[in-house]
Amino acid sequence: MAGKFQKTSMYIDHNPAIIENGDFRKNVDDDGRPKRTGTWMTASAHIITAVIGSGVLSLAWAIAQLGWVAGPAVLMAFSFITYFTATLLADCYRSPDPVSGKRNYTYMDVVRANLGGRKVQLCGLAQYSNLVGVTIGYTITASISMVAVKRSNCFHKHGHHVKCHTSNNPFMIIFACIQLFLSQIQNFHKLWWLSIVAAIMSFAYSSIGLGLSLAKVISGPHARTTLTGGTVGIDVSASEKVWKTFQAIGDIAFAYAYSTDTLKSPPAENKAMKRATSIGIATTTVFYVLCGCVGYAAFGNDAPGNFLTGFGFYEPFWLVDVANICIAIHLIGAYQVIKHNHVAYHRSSRGGTIYLCNTSRDGINNNTLTVQVFCQPIFGFVESSCAQRWPESEFINGEYPINIPFCGQFCVNSFRLVWRTAYVVMTAILAMLFPFFNDFLGLLGAASFWPLTVYFPIEMYIARTKMPKFTFTWTWMKILSWVCLVISLVAAAASIQGLATDVKKYKPFHTEQ
């Protein structure tokens, strides 16, 4: 085995782009970080690609629970709240002054600069808990799509009347095995192309689903739809109507997430961020309304939980297969990383931000490269915390370089191998225990929407502006926060009730419908 050497498991090479003609200052900002190159146009594109994801698959079902009146209204309400709180967060990017203050490069940095204290720990708990939930949800969604490909071909071959039951578990194991390999890649930022592929796949399956729904509406016969969604006594019982209504709100909350690029100045970053936010969220809202409403028009009150795997579409079977393959490919990449870029900050109900850098006391130095990811922040947090707690441990800090033919040198770390493998296995086991798409998405949306999307942005804005208590603006912002908290709690309760009900009905060797 090659010689052993000591360095942090978060090590990456220096970024050669920082140095130009011997003068690194040409390519760095005034705070020593790589120069920001993003514009409101690139940021808008990043917001659109980050927001449009697997949450779109459940929107037809969500509209079916709410109906033609409340469904679009709830979508628009979440759109407005997301936009409003994003503009508050944009003003907190630099502190104490939104134009000339010190830049905060992560969500937790923003909370630390504006609120401090235990709220920083609560923010971290909310973020990391949500990231764990998302990885479990992605394992569920990817396996359902893999199963759908097999079932689609079975239906095409044997007819639509055949049940074609297939277990999700083998496909969850396949997905987990792929993630076991990807999670061990040390310099994940070099796989920038994986993010591009994931974004293309996301647009592909969303567009295919929208197109198939539109074709179904045009071809007829028309499905039964109502102004209030599922009808009590016909489609659902009174109690089911209440629970599914709130669960649908949780699904819509999950669909909305937010991300932004690093923006150069002038103009001031907060102004560019606000412009990018308005364009990005407006575009995704139009897309969501189309997918949800056209999907509801196609399927009516019997809309499946996932409109690409619930087999409202049987033909053309090859196009349904393409869409579900796109979902699986997207989630294989998204499980690890959303996209690669130098970021100003990241606020998302789905992802997080982590620094990958050379060894330093706190795991972060000034010339860092940031990657927005799902699993990687969790991996990095645990690994850096353990490295600081046990700096002399060879098991935690020892790196063993291995030469792989045609691939170059790969560094193996014992702790990283054991810990990341255990994490992927744990998420796969939990996904097998609770393989319920809509319930899990609703729970994730409910759990992350209020703290990350509403509470912290509002509290930081109030603290930064030193807003007096009980003024008009302070009062209605607090009311908005409390209303969103109540909505999140009832949506979470409805999703938990749905999970409990589905667990009782669950047949482990049948695919989740």
Side-chain angles (χ1 to χ4, degrees), residues 57-90:
L57 301 172
S58 65
L59 289 180
W61 179 87
I63 300 295
Q65 310 313 308
L66 300 170
W68 283 119
V69 177
V74 171
L75 274 172
M76 296 303 297
F78 274 87
S79 173
F80 171 77
I81 293 171
T82 303
Y83 168 73
F84 172 69
T85 56
T87 59
L88 299 183
L89 194 60

Side-chain angles (χ1 to χ4, degrees), residues 48-57 134 138-139 141-142 145-146 175 179 182 188 193-206 254 288 308 322-339 350 374:
I48 294 169
T49 56
V51 173
I52 297 177
S54 60
V56 74
L57 301 172
V134 169
Y138 274 15
T139 303
T141 309
S145 293
M146 294 176 185
F175 183 83
Q179 297 306 329
L182 292 178
F188 207 90
W193 53 268
L194 191 61
S195 300
I196 297 176
V197 171
I200 293 173
M201 296 298 103
S202 178
F203 272 104
Y205 68 71
S206 299
F254 177 82
Y288 277 180
L308 282 173
V322 168
N324 282 295
I325 290 171
C326 288
I327 295 173
I329 294 174
H330 170 221
L331 298 184
I332 285 172
Y335 186 99
Q336 297 285 339
V337 60
I338 300 176
K339 61 188 178 68
R350 299 184 190 177
F374 287 148

Side-chain angles (χ1 to χ4, degrees), residues 219-282:
S219 63
H222 298 295
R224 184 175 63 87
T225 63
T226 59
L227 292 177
T228 57
T231 305
V232 175
I234 299 177
D235 303 306
V236 292
S237 65
S239 61
E240 287 176 336
K241 176 67 175 179
V242 173
W243 288 122
K244 289 188 175 182
T245 295
F246 287 119
Q247 186 182 327
I249 293 174
D251 282 11
I252 293 175
F254 177 82
Y256 274 96
Y258 179 71
S259 173
T260 189
D261 190 11
T262 302
L263 304 180
K264 61 185 180 181
S265 59
E269 293 100 331
N270 63 331
K271 292 182 179 179
M273 288 177 187
K274 291 177 182 178
R275 185 177 184 183
T277 297
S278 63
I279 295 173
I281 293 181

Side-chain angles (χ1 to χ4, degrees), residues 10 138 224 393 476:
M10 300 302 290
Y138 274 15
R224 184 175 63 87
S393 172
W476 75 258

Side-chain angles (χ1 to χ4, degrees), residues 8-60:
T8 176
S9 64
M10 300 302 290
Y11 174 85
I12 64 169
D13 297 330
H14 285 290
N15 183 3
I18 295 176
I19 302 175
E20 181 179 309
N21 298 326
D23 187 2
F24 74 93
R25 290 173 297 179
K26 294 181 179 180
N27 288 318
V28 297
D29 279 319
D30 53 2
D31 57 1
R33 295 182 183 271
K35 187 177 290 292
R36 293 158 296 118
T37 59
T39 66
W40 64 268
M41 294 181 65
T42 60
S44 299
H46 284 148
I47 292 170
I48 294 169
T49 56
V51 173
I52 297 177
S54 60
V56 74
L57 301 172
S58 65
L59 289 180

